[in-house]
Amino acid sequence: MTYSILILGGTAEAKALAAQLATSPDYQILLSLAGRTKAPAEQPVPVRIGGFGGPEGLADFMRDNGIDLLIDATHPFAARISRNAAEAAVAAGIDIMALRRPAWSRQKGDRWQDVADIPAAVQALDIAPRRVFLTLGRQELLPFEVMKQHRYLVRSVDPVEPPLQLPHVTYITARGPFSEWDEIQLLEKHGIDLIVSKNSGGAASAAKIAAARRLGIKVVLIERPRLPDVPSARSVEELAGMARHWKLSRRKRGE
Ligand SMILES: NC(=O)c1ccc[n+]([C@@H]2O[C@H](COP(=O)([O-])OP(=O)(O)OC[C@H]3O[C@@H](n4cnc5c(N)ncnc54)[C@H](OP(=O)(O)O)[C@@H]3O)[C@@H](O)[C@H]2O)c1
């Protein structure tokens, strides 16, 4: 018996999870990406790209494609798709589990200012001119256009187009993960004295936080949105274990 699994991805963990589950002949995996990046990272399993059209569209997609298990492995700040996933799973009567990586927690030497959301992060910059490293997505960058007194460094996977309406911005395009050493070099090269980041958690983007700690740089850290309460795991390995248990209990029930 083969089980069809739809993984909602767009993260390094989703890719690693897909690779791990694909080693079992019991699963047929389809990975879904939103299609935000122009040249998405190569994936170890078949991929579909683009939105489903809300929770109803996702429920229909799963019914039409005989999906047995939905795994939400999206980014912790991708709250809408996580809510859609929880709702669609109930509507279609399909089991769901989620990969919810822990948030970063404060360590000795961290100079964090926790803020609730992007507007609060913008307000936190209402100060004398500084050199600010913005590690955010394009839509999240736009609200910073009101704070014109700062010099910004913006790093993104694809170029920021059109450019921001700001007088002093340096753009770099790069895809993580980055090492702590790389991040220290970058922060020093650009004389950064403030970082704005989401509290994404996980290893892939933690190096900038470690580098800030090392250099004593302040971080304005945006707290996570609330996510729906579904069965979840904190790591790829833990989620692969949950999927294995799920498979065995389905087998036991003869499903
Ligand atoms: N937000 C971040 O900081 C961040 C960082 C790194 C990676 N990502 C990844 O980038 C993607 C988009 O993030 P977002 O914050 O824009 O999401 P979002 O606000 O939660 O979702 C907006 C819409 O995009 C579509 N969508 C999102 N993820 C999808 C997926 N994996 N497959 C198919 N459709 C998807 C859905 O459209 P429909 O309603 O039409 O289905 C959803 O309603 C996600 O896959 C996420 O994992 C996000």
Side-chain angles (χ1 to χ4, degrees):
M1 178 80 178
T2 309
Y3 299 102
S4 289
I5 301 182
L6 176 64
I7 301 179
L8 302 173
T11 60
E13 282 100 337
K15 179 177 173 174
L17 178 69
Q20 187 153 335
L21 296 182
T23 59
S24 165
D26 298 332
Y27 305 130
Q28 200 179 326
I29 317 279
L30 178 63
L31 181 68
S32 175
L33 302 175
R36 296 284 190 274
T37 50
K38 282 189 186 138
E42 281 218 9
Q43 301 290 341
V45 297
V47 171
R48 66 156 302 283
I49 295 183
F52 296 95
E56 305 79 14
L58 177 53
D60 288 345
F61 179 91
M62 292 195 289
R63 281 192 209 98
D64 294 347
N65 290 276
I67 300 298
D68 300 300
L69 174 65
L70 176 62
I71 298 180
D72 173 13
T74 58
H75 191 272
F77 280 75
R80 189 175 346 150
I81 188 69
S82 290
R83 283 196 292 269
N84 290 357
E87 205 179 315
V90 171
I94 289 167
D95 293 330
I96 180 171
M97 45 188 78
L99 185 51
R100 303 261 197 255
R101 59 171 106 133
W104 296 316
S105 54
R106 201 179 288 262
Q107 292 184 27
K108 192 163 178 278
D110 280 326
R111 294 180 59 215
W112 291 0
Q113 178 180 354
D114 295 316
V115 294
D117 49 24
I118 298 280
V122 173
Q123 288 314 309
L125 297 200
D126 188 12
I127 42 176
R130 304 190 74 162
R131 290 177 180 267
V132 184
F133 182 24
L134 294 177
T135 61
L136 302 169
R138 175 166 167 77
Q139 290 308 315
E140 297 159 333
L141 292 169
L142 295 176
F144 289 88
E145 288 183 335
V146 296
M147 292 291 173
K148 297 201 187 300
Q149 72 272 39
H150 306 295
R151 289 184 173 274
Y152 294 96
L153 173 66
V154 171
R155 180 171 65 196
S156 53
V157 175
D158 290 319
V160 176
E161 280 165 0
L164 299 169
Q165 300 282 308
L166 284 165
H168 308 293
V169 191
T170 302
Y171 297 97
I172 33 177
T173 51
R175 193 193 291 272
F178 307 100
S179 72
E180 185 177 336
W181 175 244
D182 291 339
E183 299 293 50
I184 287 175
Q185 304 265 84
L186 183 75
L187 296 174
E188 286 189 329
K189 180 177 170 200
H190 293 273
I192 297 299
D193 52 19
L194 185 72
I195 298 176
V196 180
S197 169
K198 292 172 284 193
N199 190 340
S200 299
S205 56
K208 61 179 177 248
I209 302 295
R213 184 181 307 127
R214 182 80 60 124
L215 298 176
I217 294 174
K218 184 175 161 183
V219 181
V220 172
L221 200 60
I222 302 162
E223 289 166 12
R224 291 164 167 222
R226 275 184 67 87
L227 297 176
D229 193 13
V230 300
S232 62
R234 293 159 64 93
S235 67
V236 168
E237 290 67 32
E238 201 183 321
L239 193 64
M242 276 176 75
R244 211 164 33 246
H245 283 294
W246 170 85
K247 174 184 76 183
L248 294 175
S249 56
R250 290 277 300 236
R251 281 237 173 97
K252 240 189 206 162
R253 299 200 302 264
E255 292 172 359

